[in-house]
Amino acid sequence: MAEKVDRLTRVNELIKRELAGLFGRGLFSAPGMLVSVTEVNTSVDLRNATVYVSIMGGKASDKENVMRQLEQLRVEFQRGSRARLRSNALRCSATGSTAVLRRATGCLSSSKRLKMPENNYSALTASVVSGSSFLIFAHVRPDGDALGSSFGLRDALRAAGKRAEVVIPYDMPDRYRSFFKGGIKPQEAGNIAENFDRILVLDCATFERVESGTIELPVSGVPLLNLDHHRGNTTCEVADISYVDPDASSTCQLAVQLAKDCGLELTVSAATSLLVGMMTDTGNFRFSNTTGNTLRTAAELIDCGARLEQAVNTIYFSKSMRQRNFETDLVSNCLKFTSNGRIAYACISEEMLKRHDFDLKEDEGIIDILRAYHECGY
């Protein structure tokens, strides 16, 4: 029985991927609407499959028109798909899909935003493929992974002829300025947010951490997409479409796969940004979240032209004199040990920050000073 269930799961996922690919090829017209496959239920004998479809935006008449087109698309799917089913296997009618929509998304009034299941990768790829303009947000005090995924996807989307902007509210930390350029301030994005047809939130475990500044999110009528690797992600409760994979080393690793599956080119700038994010979230590939897949993904980025030497030297071997003086003071006067020397800690005062004119947005590598003492256990 378990084998049958696993087989059905694989068939369901295959159909979802195939349909997402057809949706992305623009085989039907749905201006101003987001059409996604939320779920597929295939019968045990593989003779029939019910496809659950979400249609967001548009009037009732527009949705009925989309349903008629989807019924015609069923024939195209049968003809061109690698998943061979009987000609009547996909049931997709206006009446039936209304019920399907209610069952898949819950009984929501037309005034509420339709939410997708927490993990719906096929819907995410379909939305990225069909979108033409993206406004990208990361979390407060963005680290290398948040910045790398944001700017890496921005450059990949732009290479595909799509419009993409990254909202960055603060001055960039020194170590990242040579990699990530061209972000816009929230006050600038506030006037143009509704001119984008996708909102993309990256590396945000909670929606409260999204740094949107003066922009109120979500934006009415604009699908909000959520991509993250943090376990227990709650941004999916607000997002329309989410994909969260805690087994991934970083959001950048997921962004690489997303770009590939959406047919986006990983340019040199995109590959370098994504590599920087993967490096910083894995401690230069030495933390326990580094897997074989992590290293294979990094190798793909290098093959795409990612500037590995520049990334390593800038992130790990280049510091301002101000930071070096701060770190010297930290080690000389603030470093403490406890538990027979197995735990190291340091207390940083406001006075110390002022004395060295040091901003805590530059503190991402400070913890490595404490990690360097081999007497301390991990």
Side-chain angles (χ1 to χ4, degrees):
M1 183 66 176
E3 182 181 350
K4 232 176 225 187
V5 173
D6 290 342
R7 183 187 182 195
L8 287 178
T9 300
R10 292 195 298 270
V11 171
N12 290 336
E13 288 301 317
L14 174 60
I15 294 174
K16 283 172 67 175
R17 287 199 303 270
E18 292 285 328
L19 284 174
L22 289 175
F23 284 16
R25 281 161 46 192
L27 296 181
F28 63 94
S29 175
M33 291 180 282
L34 174 63
V35 183
S36 304
V37 179
T38 62
E39 186 179 349
V40 174
N41 284 340
T42 306
S43 62
V44 175
D45 61 6
L46 300 182
R47 293 170 63 89
N48 295 281
T50 302
V51 178
Y52 293 74
V53 180
S54 170
I55 306 175
M56 189 172 69
K59 301 176 183 178
S61 58
D62 297 329
K63 293 179 180 178
E64 291 175 2
N65 180 48
V66 170
M67 289 310 306
R68 285 192 293 271
Q69 294 181 69
L70 287 177
E71 174 62 24
Q72 297 172 357
L73 183 61
R74 176 176 63 83
V75 179
E76 174 70 18
F77 175 72
Q78 295 292 352
R79 198 167 46 230
S81 173
R82 289 170 295 173
R84 298 299 177 189
L85 300 173
R86 291 169 58 92
S87 61
N88 63 348
L90 296 183
R91 291 182 286 137
C92 189
S93 66
T95 303
S97 70
T98 301
V100 165
L101 182 59
R102 289 194 183 119
R103 280 196 286 164
T105 61
C107 297
L108 303 176
S109 67
S110 58
S111 63
K112 293 183 179 179
R113 298 174 65 86
L114 298 177
K115 302 232 181 64
M116 310 294 284
E118 178 176 344
N119 274 320
N120 197 324
Y121 187 70
S122 60
L124 180 65
T125 55
S127 184
V128 172
V129 168
S130 61
S132 61
S133 56
F134 297 78
L135 192 58
I136 303 171
F137 295 86
H139 57 70
V140 294
R141 292 184 61 204
D143 58 6
D145 190 26
L147 292 169
S149 56
S150 297
F151 283 88
L153 279 179
R154 181 201 68 176
D155 291 349
L157 288 165
R158 286 180 175 180
K162 301 175 186 286
R163 187 161 63 102
E165 298 289 350
V166 178
V167 176
I168 294 295
Y170 306 118
D171 291 335
M172 193 77 64
D174 287 345
R175 59 165 55 184
Y176 297 129
R177 286 180 182 171
S178 62
F179 299 107
F180 310 126
K181 299 176 181 179
I184 60 177
K185 301 291 185 183
Q187 55 268 29
E188 299 172 15
N191 299 324
I192 62 173
E194 294 183 355
N195 296 330
F196 291 81
D197 58 27
R198 300 288 187 273
I199 299 293
L200 185 55
V201 172
L202 300 171
D203 202 42
C204 291
T206 65
F207 192 68
E208 291 72 25
R209 294 204 73 209
V210 179
E211 183 51 79
S212 57
T214 57
I215 305 171
E216 186 176 346
L217 294 179
V219 178
S220 177
V222 181
L224 192 150
L225 316 181
N226 166 41
L227 181 66
D228 186 34
H229 73 116
H230 293 101
R231 194 175 302 277
N233 177 285
T234 59
T235 304
C236 58
E237 298 173 2
V238 180
D240 298 294
I241 305 175
S242 292
Y243 184 72
V244 179
D245 183 2
D247 293 328
S249 68
S250 56
T251 299
C252 280
Q253 183 174 342
L254 296 175
V256 173
Q257 190 62 50
L258 178 65
K260 289 165 54 182
D261 290 342
C262 291
L264 303 178
E265 178 189 357
L266 289 174
T267 62
V268 172
S269 61
T272 302
S273 294
L274 293 166
L275 182 64
V276 167
M278 289 185 64
M279 286 171 48
T280 55
D281 244 33
T282 60
N284 205 14
F285 306 108
R286 74 184 192 275
F287 295 162
S288 61
N289 60 342
T290 302
T291 65
N293 283 334
T294 307
L295 296 175
R296 280 186 285 272
T297 302
E300 288 183 48
L301 294 174
I302 294 172
D303 289 342
C304 289
R307 297 185 290 268
L308 175 63
E309 183 178 4
Q310 178 192 356
V312 172
N313 288 337
T314 302
I315 300 300
Y316 294 103
F317 299 103
S318 177
K319 297 179 181 179
S320 66
M321 185 60 70
R322 184 181 68 250
Q323 181 169 344
R324 289 190 180 279
N325 290 338
F326 172 82
E327 292 177 357
T328 299
D329 193 355
L330 179 75
V331 172
S332 300
N333 303 308
C334 304
L335 187 62
K336 307 291 183 184
F337 294 89
T338 186
S339 299
N340 295 321
R342 290 183 58 80
I343 298 176
Y345 68 96
C347 297
I348 300 173
S349 65
E350 288 291 336
E351 188 276 331
M352 181 179 175
L353 293 173
K354 291 179 180 178
R355 184 166 65 250
H356 296 286
D357 189 26
F358 188 78
D359 193 318
L360 279 179
K361 75 174 185 290
E362 308 287 351
D363 72 347
E364 192 175 336
I366 299 300
I367 189 65
D368 291 328
I369 296 176
L370 307 186
R371 283 197 179 105
Y373 289 89
H374 72 267
E375 293 88 355
C376 297
Y378 284 88

